[in-house]
Amino acid sequence: MIGEQLAHLVEGLRLQGELKLPSERELAAQLGISRGGVRKGLATLIENGQVVQRVGRNGGTYIRTVNVDSYIVSPPVAPFTVSRSLNEVVGVPTLLVDQGYTPSTRILRAEERDAQKRERDQLGLSPGQRVVTIRRLRSANEVPLSLEEMTLPASVFPDLLSRDLSSIYELMADGYGVSVVTAQERIGVGEATPSAAYLLKVAPGAPLFDIERIALDQNNRPIELSRDLFRADLTRLTVTSP
Amino acid sequence: MIGEQLAHLVEGLRLQGELKLPSERELAAQLGISRGGVRKGLATLIENGQVVQRVGRNGGTYIRTVNVDSYIVSPPVAPFTVSRSLNEVVGVPTLLVDQGYTPSTRILRAEERDAQKRERDQLGLSPGQRVVTIRRLRSANEVPLSLEEMTLPASVFPDLLSRDLSSIYELMADGYGVSVVTAQERIGVGEATPSAAYLLKVAPGAPLFDIERIALDQNNRPIELSRDLFRADLTRLTVTSP
DNA sequence: AAGTGGTCTAGACCACAGC
DNA sequence: CTGTGGTCTAGACCACTTC
């Protein structure tokens, strides 16, 4: 691979305090390869941020210097951002309306099935008991915001699948007299798989908040397991502790 | 750009239920361009996950089908993960020791200077008052974990710069009788700049938790502004609400 | 005007996977 | 053996930036 040769060359020049590489044409001649090969090799250096290029008369390929003074992350470019407070338990539609956005929900899938072992453990169910899982895509102002998968004990919410599933929290309260008062959440960051990327209209590999939640109702009974993927470019989490 | 032509072509084929594109050589002939141009165009489609290629006798360029059933994010590959609870205010060294890791801290920079407008507003200072800013790189078991920039009112912490700055929270309590009891945090995700990537030993563009914090002491006085960048692959945030 | 990177062409050889 | 993508070559023209 030509890329590795070039990487070594750049490392050597950096140690000598050199800032600029020869032009692509010169490099090709010196290394005895074609300009196309040089460009392919430089492409990986550019992708890794080791080198930048500038066109024009005094352009060229420049070695990036590490600047400890400016390590701040790049400001995201987003049409808007949604804030989600971790200090209170509210549903996404409520959240969005409160911030002036128009929420919409697309149900991707809803089904009832036997609870799996892990679900039984976390929801306190016995073997053979049923759960309802709902997979939804939520949007704010028609911009895709999050993918959510929610698992609920079927016994607590009979006939759930025939209801309007766009706002479960409202449905819990109004239809079943259950309110979520406490939630434990675990927040990580994951890369969007191609399918998630397609649904959320981001590039594959784009960062997503990956949030797992166990919610308890007013009787401290586990009532909901969730796995939410929020577009990281559109979402800010806020928390006041303790 | 050739890429756009190809994107339209792929969209058309997808609607017709076609799964496979012509070979690169055929495409070049049909579109009246060179194979190099075709490859360059396909490169962006591959990057966007719209298409995959396979080599060999029955290889070719295949259109990806979206599978709604498997949108879960890819599991991260990490040597270990550190959990940080958002329900309590503890310093990073304490946090790491509690989880069985060996913490280390490298001071990148520490200085005293005039407070800027935004800092004065947030810390409740008057023009001309001084602040101390400290920039640190924290590691767990010698693996870089986070970059932190902390800004403190100099008047509250006289002579701070001559102390051991590896654990500010301990220093606040033991040296100045100040304890942080409340903090407001705003959590986003950003991409590592090349400099941040170099220090944290991740690839440029890798996702980082970007956490801004305002901390209040026992008298509800703002005492600390912070901007922390945590490696997202190593960090999990947990919270129990309310 | 001169030199840079950005792009495209036409052709070649290679490694690989199936027939 | 055949057809695929993966890579490289040699050459050309373009847009852009600076002298």
Side-chain angles (χ1 to χ4, degrees), chain A residues 136-210:
Chain A
R136 297 177 296 183
L137 174 66
R138 325 211 76 142
S139 300
N141 293 357
E142 303 302 323
V143 177
L145 175 68
S146 68
L147 281 167
E148 313 181 359
E149 183 174 82
M150 187 178 267
T151 302
L152 308 165
S155 56
V156 180
F157 303 102
D159 202 28
L160 183 69
L161 290 183
S162 61
R163 309 295 194 90
D164 171 15
L165 299 177
S166 59
S167 181
I168 300 287
Y169 278 22
E170 285 183 24
L171 184 54
M172 282 183 181
D174 300 346
Y176 298 94
V178 171
S179 57
V180 172
V181 297
T182 310
Q184 285 176 33
E185 299 186 286
R186 179 199 139 281
I187 303 162
V189 172
E191 300 183 352
T193 60
S195 330
Y198 177 79
L199 290 166
L200 289 172
K201 293 203 176 127
V202 295
L208 304 176
F209 277 114
D210 180 0

Side-chain angles (χ1 to χ4, degrees), chain B residues 184-213:
Chain B
Q184 284 177 32
E185 299 186 284
R186 178 199 141 283
I187 302 162
V189 172
E191 298 183 354
T193 60
S195 334
Y198 176 81
L199 291 166
L200 289 173
K201 294 203 176 126
V202 294
L208 304 177
F209 276 113
D210 180 0
I211 304 180
E212 285 182 327
R213 178 172 57 249

